[in-house]
Amino acid sequence: QVRLVESGGGLVQPGGSLRLSCVASGNVFAIKAADWYRQAPGKERELVASISVRSELTYGESVKGRFTMFRDSNTNTVSLQMNSLKPEDTAVYLCHAQIVTTQFATSDYWGQGTQVTVSS
């Protein structure tokens, strides 16, 4: 069994920073690829950042230059460093990953989400 657990969300003032983490645990051999999405009330789910199997990074237009995604293969963790936060960044942030299990099967998994609120 595989679990994805996000952490690091919270309340921050505009211009501040947060770092989100998503840890894959259980029968995990490797994180093949991963994404961070966010969903604000009344809005569609938005792709924020992605890392491919070849470690290629892509970012949504609204976060380019402010957010950076990392992958740590040693700890099966993906992180999202968020700088210069704006009120419009307020949302639930969700981690999605393609994971190779110890049985060498590949499946998609989602975390439960972590709330980020940017407000003064």
Side-chain angles (χ1 to χ4, degrees), residues 7-9 17-21 68-70 79-82 85:
S7 62
S17 298
L18 283 175
R19 187 177 179 104
L20 306 183
S21 293
T68 306
M69 186 172 180
F70 301 91
S79 302
L80 185 68
Q81 178 66 41
M82 305 185 296
L85 283 162

Side-chain angles (χ1 to χ4, degrees), residues 20-106:
L20 306 183
S21 293
C22 173
V23 180
S25 64
N27 299 331
V28 179
F29 177 74
I31 296 177
K32 191 173 179 180
D35 316 281
W36 284 97
Y37 286 82
R38 66 186 182 188
Q39 186 150 24
K43 293 188 177 181
E44 291 189 358
R45 186 170 291 184
E46 177 188 6
L47 179 61
V48 175
S50 297
I51 186 165
S52 75
V53 63
R54 291 180 295 275
S55 297
E56 296 159 326
L57 293 164
T58 58
Y59 297 95
E61 284 297 322
S62 61
V63 306
K64 278 183 181 178
R66 300 188 297 123
F67 291 11
T68 306
M69 186 172 180
F70 301 91
R71 174 170 56 194
D72 185 338
S73 298
N74 292 324
T75 60
N76 290 322
T77 301
V78 292
S79 302
L80 185 68
Q81 178 66 41
M82 305 185 296
N83 298 329
S84 303
L85 283 162
K86 305 175 181 179
E88 51 263 43
D89 294 318
T90 295
V92 174
Y93 284 71
L94 301 114
C95 176
H96 166 258
Q98 283 186 321
I99 291 176
V100 182
T101 69
T102 51
Q103 289 76 41
F104 299 106
T106 301

